[in-house]
């Protein structure tokens, strides 16, 4: 990978040469090169690791970015399964154990008053991935599908509570006192849809498929998912609005959330209707989040061109890469297009990883080299994009349904059958004595306008988190 550009000044060329040794070399045709690149970027992500941090065992800037840590651990679980490098496995299990909560639903007491439905989902995604790849269970905890079902059941009851407006839809927040209680958005409903779909494929239980269909129908009905597969940010039930208008901003993680759910439904049902939806999402994602469309490199079109991506937003490409990759496995007709998109993006990401005099990655992958912006989400996005090239090296998606899933038999599965265990009441190693977290280099406390992770009205996240700001223990 060349790190020097066409710059004609000697100084810049010399600087680039000096950094060439720390560039992330990536030959996308060579598995061991991809593994080495992923390993280097994983180290860059792990700079943020802090076992004592109450923000999910990673240092996160203020305000409270616990959800990002959940996304990070999900990425490191994929890393472990794709590369067979077990460096992070013990810490991963420790972090999940400390954050799964006493009721085994990713609602730890430490996050009470902060946690929203989408935050919970971004930790559950690690649990769903563990379920699908037969990853170790947590000591003293039920199997991963039981944990996922516990969270699913919470989403069901909250949906039912929230159905007095808009004829359904899950709210962003589950705490009525939280700012953002009136927002019914795509990251949340896409999460519920995806959770139901993944449980349906894994268990073969129609109840989950019925909910996936129900959330799908609501999302399309209200206009969060359009007929041409754009996914818009959210809609509101504030003051009688009844979801009559939609906020049309598009973020890559929103379309990714629905894409991955649709991929599981396509795989589970074998139905051409779901396959068409998957291919529709892939095309729309290609046209919206890659430049130039289809052959280009992934970019967060809402904030990247204006250099305005916030702490949340720099991580969104991690979701798109992660779930595009898994879609390539689950839906064979999408494989070629998806892997082409990921390959170009991985090359772009890798060549950006020359920041800070080491291998720190940049937020934008469409230019040359490092663009000067780095944080947890940036590293995670680069990691997921590069390692997704190894998605076919992962174990086959397991299933206990014994039918429908075309995966190899689930006999090697180490997880217990669904429904054999009730919600356990004892706590795991889950620590309730969590200590101080420190802010990172990225530690700005302000969320600029347009900077909320789930809403363009940046005040939502900001207000929610900062109003409820509390002293760390
Ligand atoms: C890269 O350099 C930055 C700035 O000095 C440092 O904070 C970070 O830990 C380094 N990354 C790695 C992977 O060593
Ligand atoms: C609210 O919106 C839902 C879904 O679009 C619709 O079914 C319902 O009739 C609306 N209720 C009112 C009071 O407008
Ligand atoms: C299917 O899942 C639902 C929701 O968890 C559960 O109530 C039901 O008992 C399950 N059905 C079977 C046949 O396992
Ligand atoms: C489901 O996914 C598997 C790979 O995990 C694939 O072999 C199979 O063809 C897929 N089934 C359908 C119906 O797409």
């Amino acid at each position: 990978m060349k790190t020097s550009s066409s710059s004609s000044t000697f100084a810049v060329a010399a600087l680039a040469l000096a950094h060439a040794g720390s560039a992330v070399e990536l030959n996308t045709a060579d598995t061991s090169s991809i593994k080495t690149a992923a390993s280097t970027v994983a180290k860059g992500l792990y700079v943020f690791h802090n076992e004592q941090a109450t923000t999910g065992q990673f240092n996160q800037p203020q305000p409270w970015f616990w959800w990002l840590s959940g996304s990070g651990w999900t990425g490191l679980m994929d890393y472990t399964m794709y590369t067979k490098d077990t460096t992070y496995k013990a810490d991963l299990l420790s972090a999940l154990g400390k954050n799964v909560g006493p009721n085994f639903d990713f609602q730890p007491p430490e996050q009470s008053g902060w946690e929203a439905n989408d935050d919970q989902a971004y930790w559950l995604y690690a649990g769903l991935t563990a379920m699908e790849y037969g990853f170790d269970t947590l000591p003293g905890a039920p199997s991963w599908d039981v944990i996922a079902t516990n969270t699913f059941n919470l989403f069901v009851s909250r949906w039912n509570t929230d159905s007095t407006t808009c004829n359904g839809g899950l709210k962003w927040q589950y705490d009525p006192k939280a700012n953002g209680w009136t927002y019914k958005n795509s990251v949340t409903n896409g999460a519920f849809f995806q959770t139901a779909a993944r449980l349906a494929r894994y268990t073969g239980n129609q109840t989950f498929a019925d909910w996936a269909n129900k959330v799908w129908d609501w999302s399309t009905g209200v206009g969060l998912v359009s007929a041409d597969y754009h996914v818009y940010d959210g809609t509101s039930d504030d003051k009688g609005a009844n979801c009559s208008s939609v906020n049309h901003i598009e973020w890559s993680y929103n379309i990714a959330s629905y894409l991955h759910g649709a991929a599981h439904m396509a795989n589970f049902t074998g139905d051409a209707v779901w396959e068409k939806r998957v291919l529709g999402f892939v095309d729309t994602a290609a046209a919206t989040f890659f430049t130039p469309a289809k052959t280009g490199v992934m970019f967060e079109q809402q904030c990247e061109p204006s250099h305005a991506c916030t702490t949340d937003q720099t991580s969104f490409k991690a979701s798109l890469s992660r779930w595009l990759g898994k879609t390539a496995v689950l839906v064979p007709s999408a494989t070629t297009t998806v892997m082409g998109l990921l390959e170009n993006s991985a090359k772009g990401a890798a060549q950006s990883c020359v920041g800070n005099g080491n291998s720190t990655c940049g937020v934008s992958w469409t230019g040359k080299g490092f663009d000067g912006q780095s944080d947890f989400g940036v590293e995670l996005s680069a990691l997921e994009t590069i390692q997704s090239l190894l998605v076919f090296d992962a174990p086959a998606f397991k299933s206990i349904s014994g039918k429908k899933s075309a995966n190899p038999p689930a006999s090697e599965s180490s997880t217990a059958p669904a429904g054999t265990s009730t919600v356990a009441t004892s706590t795991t190693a889950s620590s309730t004595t969590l200590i101080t977290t420190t802010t990172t280099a990225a530690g700005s406390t302000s969320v600029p306008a347009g900077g909320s992770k789930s809403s363009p009205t940046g005040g939502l996240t900001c207000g929610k988190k900062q109003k409820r700001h509390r002293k760390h223990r």
Side-chain angles (χ1 to χ4, degrees):
M1 189 70 38
K2 248 165 68 82
T3 57
S4 60
S5 71
S6 56
S7 165
S8 56
T9 80
F10 174 76
V12 171
L15 189 65
L17 269 176
H19 291 177
S22 52
V24 174
E25 304 288 338
L26 176 63
N27 175 356
T28 57
D30 175 2
T31 299
S32 73
S33 169
I34 301 168
K35 282 188 187 175
T36 304
S39 151
T40 301
V41 178
K43 286 192 187 90
L45 180 69
Y46 226 63
V47 163
F48 297 87
H49 183 240
N50 172 8
E51 230 181 317
Q52 308 302 323
T54 51
T55 40
Q57 276 68 44
F58 282 115
N59 286 327
Q60 302 289 357
Q62 293 297 326
W64 210 245
F65 288 99
W66 178 73
W67 83 278
L68 273 180
S69 298
S71 191
W73 290 117
T74 305
L76 286 168
M77 184 178 293
D78 281 341
Y79 173 82
T80 307
M81 302 316 285
Y82 295 178
T83 64
K84 324 264 189 301
D85 173 0
T86 55
T87 303
Y88 306 110
K89 190 170 175 181
D91 288 350
L92 170 53
L93 287 166
S94 161
L96 292 173
K98 283 179 178 162
N99 287 277
V100 73
N103 297 320
F104 300 109
D105 52 8
F106 289 108
Q107 221 171 276
E110 295 79 24
Q111 306 305 327
S112 172
W114 301 80
E115 184 177 327
N117 283 311
D118 61 340
D119 303 327
Q120 190 170 6
Y122 264 85
W123 277 86
L124 176 62
Y125 291 142
L128 288 163
T129 302
M131 170 184 91
E132 288 155 359
Y133 287 157
F135 199 75
D136 302 35
T137 52
L138 301 173
S143 59
W144 286 113
D145 59 311
V146 171
I147 292 173
T149 304
N150 292 343
T151 308
F152 167 87
N153 286 336
L154 288 172
F155 290 163
V156 168
S157 75
R158 289 169 193 164
W159 173 291
N160 289 336
T161 303
D162 295 346
S163 287
T164 51
T165 59
C166 313
N167 202 24
L170 199 55
K171 294 185 174 217
W172 180 23
Q173 304 292 335
Y174 64 76
D175 175 359
K177 295 185 298 297
N179 211 340
W181 165 249
T182 54
Y183 203 47
K184 295 193 174 187
N185 57 356
S186 287
V187 68
T188 306
N189 287 283
F192 187 16
F193 167 63
Q194 183 186 134
T195 298
R198 291 171 79 167
L199 278 166
R201 195 207 55 81
Y202 179 79
T203 65
N205 179 334
Q206 187 60 33
T207 303
F208 298 120
D210 291 345
W211 270 99
N213 278 306
K214 184 169 174 151
V215 182
W216 174 267
D217 289 345
W218 181 83
S219 301
T220 52
V222 84
L224 288 184
V225 177
S226 74
D228 54 355
Y229 304 102
H230 285 272
V231 179
Y232 303 119
D233 194 68
T235 183
S236 166
D237 73 348
D238 194 26
K239 302 190 182 80
N242 195 36
C243 297
S244 55
S245 68
V246 167
N247 165 3
H248 282 102
I249 285 186
E250 293 180 72
W251 298 105
S252 63
Y253 77 158
N254 284 331
I255 192 169
S257 301
Y258 282 95
L259 164 71
H260 194 46
H264 278 267
M265 289 304 283
N267 196 275
F268 172 56
T269 63
D271 188 335
V273 170
W274 281 111
E275 184 187 14
K276 178 166 168 278
R277 290 168 180 167
V278 169
L279 299 177
F281 281 130
V282 169
D283 279 352
T284 298
T288 311
F289 297 103
F290 292 80
T291 178
K294 298 207 180 197
T295 54
V297 171
M298 189 183 295
F299 80 132
E300 194 63 57
Q301 49 88 40
Q302 184 66 35
C303 60
E304 229 177 87
S306 51
H307 308 286
C309 297
T310 64
T311 303
D312 282 320
Q313 293 158 1
T314 59
S315 78
F316 292 171
K317 288 186 290 188
S319 293
L320 184 53
S321 300
R322 174 191 301 165
W323 292 327
L324 275 172
K326 289 167 192 280
T327 295
V329 175
L330 289 164
V331 183
S333 53
T335 305
T336 306
T337 305
V338 163
M339 294 315 286
L341 292 167
L342 289 173
E343 186 180 350
N344 285 337
S345 301
K347 287 177 183 164
Q351 65 83 40
S352 84
C353 301
V354 290
N356 288 339
N358 55 33
S359 303
T360 301
C361 303
V363 69
S364 173
W365 309 332
T366 57
K368 282 239 157 66
F370 180 65
D371 63 358
Q373 186 178 353
S374 61
D375 62 16
F376 183 87
V378 169
E379 288 298 319
L380 181 61
S381 290
L383 175 64
E384 291 272 18
T385 304
I386 293 168
Q387 74 185 13
S388 285
L389 300 183
L390 301 170
V391 69
F392 284 91
D393 293 355
F397 283 90
K398 295 186 191 309
S399 157
I400 56 169
S401 69
K403 65 177 183 87
K404 290 287 188 184
S405 168
N407 289 339
S411 53
E412 39 175 322
S413 169
S414 60
T415 54
T420 54
S421 163
T422 54
V423 176
T425 50
S426 67
T427 55
T428 58
S430 173
S431 167
T432 50
T433 54
L434 296 170
I435 326 171
T436 309
T437 178
T438 54
T439 55
T440 66
S444 158
T445 61
S446 66
V447 179
S452 142
K453 76 178 151 87
S454 303
S455 158
T457 52
L460 279 180
T461 291
C462 185
K464 168 198 163 203
K465 307 293 185 189
Q466 292 190 334
K467 198 172 97 196
R468 305 170 67 85
H469 197 283
R470 60 172 186 177
K471 268 240 163 307
H472 293 151
R473 282 160 290 170

